[in-house]
Amino acid sequence: MISIVIPVYNEEQSLPSLFSRLIPVMKDYNHEIIFINDGSKDESLAMLLRESGKDSRVYVIDMGGNFGQHEAIIKGFEESRGSLIITMDADLQNPPEEIPRLIEQYELGHDAIGTIRIKRKDTFFRRYASRIANRITNLITGFRISDYGCMLRGYSREIVEEILKVKRNDIFIPALAQKFSHNPVEIEISHSEREYGESKYSFLKLIRLFMSLMKTAYMIRR
């Protein structure tokens, strides 16, 4: 089984397109799609519940408040049943149509499938900040990951179980997964402009994300 884990926060505008594109992509796979509602204040939760009522492979977890992307993903990991767990955002900047390429890499024996966004449709500031964070983290850890910030990633069940054993709420999942991986790989994927709403990453959130990445890097180094 393949588990798709998707945190959702105020994405009512993008969800219809996400449903219409993701469901067909997964139709030929044994799968489950786990949406984690992270305190949305719009109609996202109601839309997710309606979709789950139409498709028995769609599950909805309501966090009951806004706890952040990390906590939402961890909750999705805890509830997932797949041998391959794929994370992605709900904003469609990472096309669902790329998912079969991650599955293919898993079937080739890779246990951590990272992705590199080509021709990124983000602001100059976000692209520049990402490059700096990637370089610093690789310098500390000794890894050679090209793009820590892309949410569309795949992890084997074994790696997810190891991540869940780390009882800290400030870990950065992609870096920790690389530590536990025996055969990682990175593939290039397309990247789209955000069509609906605004980015949930304020400057303060980006700083917090960077600090989480640094803490995880130092933990791995130790």
Side-chain angles (χ1 to χ4, degrees), residues 80-94:
S80 66
R81 299 174 293 160
S83 58
L84 171 65
I85 298 88
I86 293 175
T87 62
M88 65 177 293
D89 280 325
D91 60 14
L92 291 173
Q93 286 198 270
N94 299 136

Side-chain angles (χ1 to χ4, degrees), residues 7 14 102 132 182 197 203:
S14 65
L102 276 73
I132 296 299
H182 298 290
F203 179 75

Side-chain angles (χ1 to χ4, degrees), residues 150-162:
C150 187
M151 260 286 286
L152 184 59
R153 311 181 78 88
Y155 309 106
S156 70
R157 165 57 54 187
E158 291 74 18
I159 286 179
V160 166
E161 293 299 330
E162 290 299 318

Side-chain angles (χ1 to χ4, degrees), residues 53 148 160 169:
Y148 283 93
V160 166
N169 60 8

Side-chain angles (χ1 to χ4, degrees), residues 47-203:
M47 296 170 71
L48 293 172
L49 291 172
R50 284 197 295 269
E51 189 65 27
S52 69
K54 295 188 294 184
D55 190 333
S56 61
R57 294 168 296 187
V58 175
Y59 301 89
V60 179
I61 300 170
D62 185 17
M63 297 287 284
N66 182 225
F67 295 92
Q69 187 184 77
H70 170 80
E71 292 297 328
I73 292 173
I74 291 297
K75 186 63 177 178
F77 281 173
E78 291 174 345
E79 299 297 327
S80 66
R81 299 174 293 160
S83 58
L84 171 65
I85 298 88
I86 293 175
T87 62
M88 65 177 293
D89 280 325
D91 60 14
L92 291 173
Q93 286 198 270
N94 299 136
E97 292 79 10
E98 298 281 14
I99 290 175
R101 299 183 57 223
L102 276 73
I103 298 172
E104 179 183 11
Q105 293 299 316
Y106 174 73
E107 292 173 342
L108 289 173
H110 298 289
D111 55 359
I113 303 98
T115 51
I116 306 168
R117 294 165 286 185
I118 58 173
K119 298 180 180 178
R120 283 184 62 179
K121 308 299 182 182
D122 287 325
T123 64
F124 171 79
F125 169 75
R126 289 196 63 179
R127 296 196 305 271
Y128 181 76
S130 291
R131 286 197 295 269
I132 296 299
N134 291 335
R135 290 173 184 172
I136 293 175
T137 306
N138 286 336
L139 182 64
I140 297 171
T141 61
F143 297 154
R144 292 186 178 180
I145 295 180
S146 302
D147 190 353
Y148 283 93
C150 187
M151 260 286 286
L152 184 59
R153 311 181 78 88
Y155 309 106
S156 70
R157 165 57 54 187
E158 291 74 18
I159 286 179
V160 166
E161 293 299 330
E162 290 299 318
I163 289 172
L164 291 175
K165 291 177 184 177
V166 181
K167 303 299 183 180
R168 294 181 57 168
N169 60 8
D170 58 352
I171 61 170
F172 192 75
I173 292 171
L176 197 59
Q178 188 78 3
K179 173 67 175 177
F180 294 137
S181 174
H182 298 290
N183 190 18
V185 69
E186 284 187 305
I187 61 172
E188 291 185 344
I189 63 167
S190 58
H191 190 246
S192 303
E193 291 185 14
R194 185 180 177 94
E195 295 184 26
Y196 311 101
E198 298 179 353
S199 173
K200 306 304 186 296
Y201 287 99
S202 64
F203 179 75

